[in-house]
Amino acid sequence: RCENLVEVYFQLQQQVMAASAELGPELLPRLLERFNEVLSSLVKSSFLVEKQPPQVLKTQTKFQASVRFLLGPRLLKAAPKPYVVRADMVTEKQARELELSNYSNTLSESTGEIMHNTVALETNPTSGTCCANFKNVLLKKIKRCERKGSESVTEEKCAVLFSTNVALAPSNVSVHLQVLSLPIVVIVHGNQDNNAKATVLWDNAFSEIDRVPFVVAERVPWEKMCDTLNLKFMAEVQTTKGLLKEHYFFLAQKIFNDHSARFEDFQSRHVSWAQFNKEILPGRGFTFWQWFDGVLDLTKRCLKSYWSDRLIVGFISKQYVCKLLSAEPDGTFLLRFSDSEIGGVTIAYVIRGKDGSSQVENIQPFSAKDLSIRSLGDRIRDLGQLRNLYPNIPKDQAFGSHYNSERRG
């Protein structure tokens, strides 16, 4: 499409030049100036990031990215030496200034040191593409900005600015091309990964397409948050079985710390960034996102098939489990994600006394490490006190396909 538009541009330009006498000395220069503006705008917007750098970027770690110039094959004539694209780190403030100048300003200084940050812009005649592929770029170090109030380093957003100067054929007009990557959170240690992912998720999910870099709402409708958590869960775990209405209800009670509201009451509420990943959950040592991310990680690594077979209720409170199981026969059980530990799954089961009274027990949560030693299915088979998966499926019928065949002896 861009190439077609350029063809239209050249045809119009020829027609204007052919009619230059009739147009006169006043109109002709104005038209030609407008032509240059249109071409420049089209050329600049056809320079884009094809492969984004990782949005959580650790210093001293190699990464890849690529930019593509859609009009390159059509407008770049054989230059004596190839054009070079440069990659620089920019702060949110610098990205904002570039955006405000409509990318006509050039970068004064890079905010971090990137190794192997220049790559040739090459046209591939076979595929008809013009790309610069950054294959083993490395962010050596980063200069941190002045932060606002209680903002942490994992809330600070940067970007990679890709830029080059090219001369367009046939007019030989020189154009400065630059394009920003998606926002990036730079970390220096693996333990910052979890909070950095929260910043990136919030930005990707809730930012407007056209915005001042990298402004994003501080509060969003709870319904939008539900969609985001569901998409994230399905993508990370790689399952087609998403979250259900009752799961959202439990998550709302958790994030809003409100156990008296009905499901409908939460629908009109807004959730803040602070509730998502700043405020510690009551009586715990972690935030809502840190807990949810732990569930994601555990499910992805150890529970994908159980979740996809709907054998895990998962998102359900201890109190509600007691209510469900207390009226059930002895040995009825279900699986829920631990509330007190990050990345744990626990089994709740009912024991009936001789007098008919019931007691609901919760087994110490299993972590990913535990389940890598012995799988959940085999642990359930080992535990003789577990009989039926709630509401009333015999455990061998529910989990039989997940048992590993073992030699007895």
Side-chain angles (χ1 to χ4, degrees):
R1 288 186 181 188
C2 285
E3 287 173 349
N4 288 343
L5 282 170
V6 165
E7 291 312 319
V8 171
Y9 163 84
F10 283 126
Q11 286 167 18
L12 280 170
Q13 194 186 37
Q14 278 174 348
Q15 288 168 359
V16 165
M17 293 315 287
S20 57
E22 291 95 303
L23 292 167
E26 209 169 289
L27 188 53
L28 183 63
R30 274 173 37 210
L31 274 176
L32 291 177
E33 190 186 336
R34 182 78 188 110
F35 268 125
N36 282 341
E37 284 169 14
V38 167
L39 182 66
S40 171
S41 170
L42 178 61
V43 166
K44 286 178 177 179
S45 59
S46 77
F47 186 60
L48 38 95
V49 183
E50 185 168 56
K51 180 184 175 148
Q52 292 284 350
Q55 284 189 267
V56 175
L57 188 55
K58 190 164 177 275
T59 53
Q60 303 294 347
T61 309
K62 286 184 176 178
F63 68 93
Q64 297 185 335
S66 69
V67 288
R68 184 162 163 188
F69 182 28
L70 297 177
L71 289 172
R74 173 72 183 77
L75 291 183
L76 297 187
K77 64 175 187 301
K81 59 179 201 286
Y83 297 111
V84 170
V85 179
R86 182 186 163 93
D88 289 289
M89 287 303 290
V90 294
T91 61
E92 183 169 338
K93 183 170 177 279
Q94 287 172 315
R96 201 165 292 175
E97 285 161 3
L98 284 164
E99 171 86 17
L100 287 171
S101 77
N102 205 7
Y103 295 98
S104 55
N105 286 0
T106 50
L107 184 67
S108 51
E109 64 162 337
S110 181
T111 187
E113 192 182 332
I114 302 183
M115 311 288 287
H116 316 298
N117 71 331
T118 55
V119 172
L121 184 63
E122 294 171 321
T123 303
N124 179 335
T126 327
S127 61
T129 57
C130 177
C131 296
N133 295 308
F134 293 80
K135 290 212 169 71
N136 59 344
V137 204
L138 182 134
L139 177 61
K140 199 170 172 194
K141 58 181 189 213
I142 183 84
K143 276 203 297 238
R144 296 291 186 190
C145 324
E146 289 287 311
R147 282 188 299 281
K148 309 181 273 283
S150 66
E151 197 177 64
S152 71
V153 290
T154 53
E155 291 173 85
E156 190 182 310
K157 290 178 272 194
C158 311
V160 177
L161 177 73
F162 297 97
S163 60
T164 185
N165 287 307
V166 296
L168 306 180
S171 57
N172 221 15
V173 173
S174 177
V175 181
H176 180 66
L177 300 176
Q178 43 189 5
V179 63
L180 277 176
S181 73
L182 291 174
I184 289 169
V185 177
V186 176
I187 61 171
V188 294
H189 197 285
N191 64 8
Q192 297 173 309
D193 185 65
N194 172 291
N195 291 328
K197 282 196 296 193
T199 301
V200 166
L201 180 70
W202 187 277
D203 193 89
N204 287 346
F206 307 123
S207 59
E208 300 293 330
I209 298 287
D210 290 316
R211 60 163 171 173
V212 174
F214 294 107
V215 173
V216 64
E218 195 65 28
R219 304 176 71 77
V220 296
W222 171 243
E223 277 187 303
K224 264 185 149 180
M225 174 57 81
C226 289
D227 289 343
T228 299
L229 294 175
N230 184 41
L231 286 169
K232 182 70 177 164
F233 191 92
M234 284 165 52
E236 282 286 321
V237 177
Q238 296 199 309
T239 177
T240 55
K241 299 292 194 294
L243 304 182
L244 306 170
K245 185 178 170 180
E246 50 270 32
H247 296 150
Y248 294 136
F249 185 43
F250 164 73
L251 292 170
Q253 289 177 323
K254 195 173 193 67
I255 203 165
F256 293 114
N257 187 29
D258 183 346
H259 298 273
S260 58
R262 296 168 309 149
F263 178 80
E264 292 71 30
D265 300 337
F266 291 120
Q267 297 308 90
S268 56
R269 288 202 192 174
H270 280 63
V271 64
S272 68
W273 162 249
Q275 287 167 316
F276 182 64
N277 195 45
K278 290 280 268 190
E279 294 163 4
I280 300 297
L281 292 171
R284 304 284 177 238
F286 43 80
T287 66
F288 173 85
W289 164 256
Q290 287 164 350
W291 173 83
F292 188 83
D293 188 47
V295 167
L296 277 184
D297 188 58
L298 175 75
T299 312
K300 175 169 69 176
R301 284 163 61 183
C302 310
L303 305 174
K304 178 181 168 177
S305 55
Y306 302 92
W307 174 270
S308 297
D309 291 348
R310 290 285 188 221
L311 299 172
I312 298 175
V313 178
F315 299 104
I316 185 171
S317 68
K318 214 171 188 174
Q319 295 77 358
Y320 194 56
V321 168
C322 285
K323 197 170 146 186
L324 284 182
L325 294 183
S326 52
E328 296 299 322
D330 196 28
T332 304
F333 69 98
L334 57 72
L335 293 109
R336 52 176 280 271
F337 296 123
S338 169
D339 262 333
S340 55
E341 290 183 21
I342 289 183
V345 63
T346 185
I347 303 171
Y349 65 99
V350 66
I351 305 173
R352 287 212 167 272
K354 289 193 170 72
D355 59 352
S357 64
S358 68
Q359 191 178 341
V360 175
E361 293 285 342
N362 284 276
I363 292 170
Q364 172 77 27
F366 302 121
S367 65
K369 189 180 172 188
D370 299 325
L371 298 177
S372 68
I373 297 167
R374 188 154 178 77
S375 74
L376 182 65
D378 291 342
R379 287 175 185 271
I380 287 169
R381 177 169 59 178
D382 295 342
L383 295 163
Q385 68 270 43
L386 306 181
R387 294 184 192 153
N388 294 321
L389 180 67
Y390 178 85
N392 57 359
I393 311 162
K395 79 170 177 187
D396 293 344
Q397 185 187 322
F399 290 91
S401 63
H402 297 274
Y403 295 162
N404 288 309
S405 54
E406 291 174 342
R407 287 204 302 275
R408 295 283 178 191

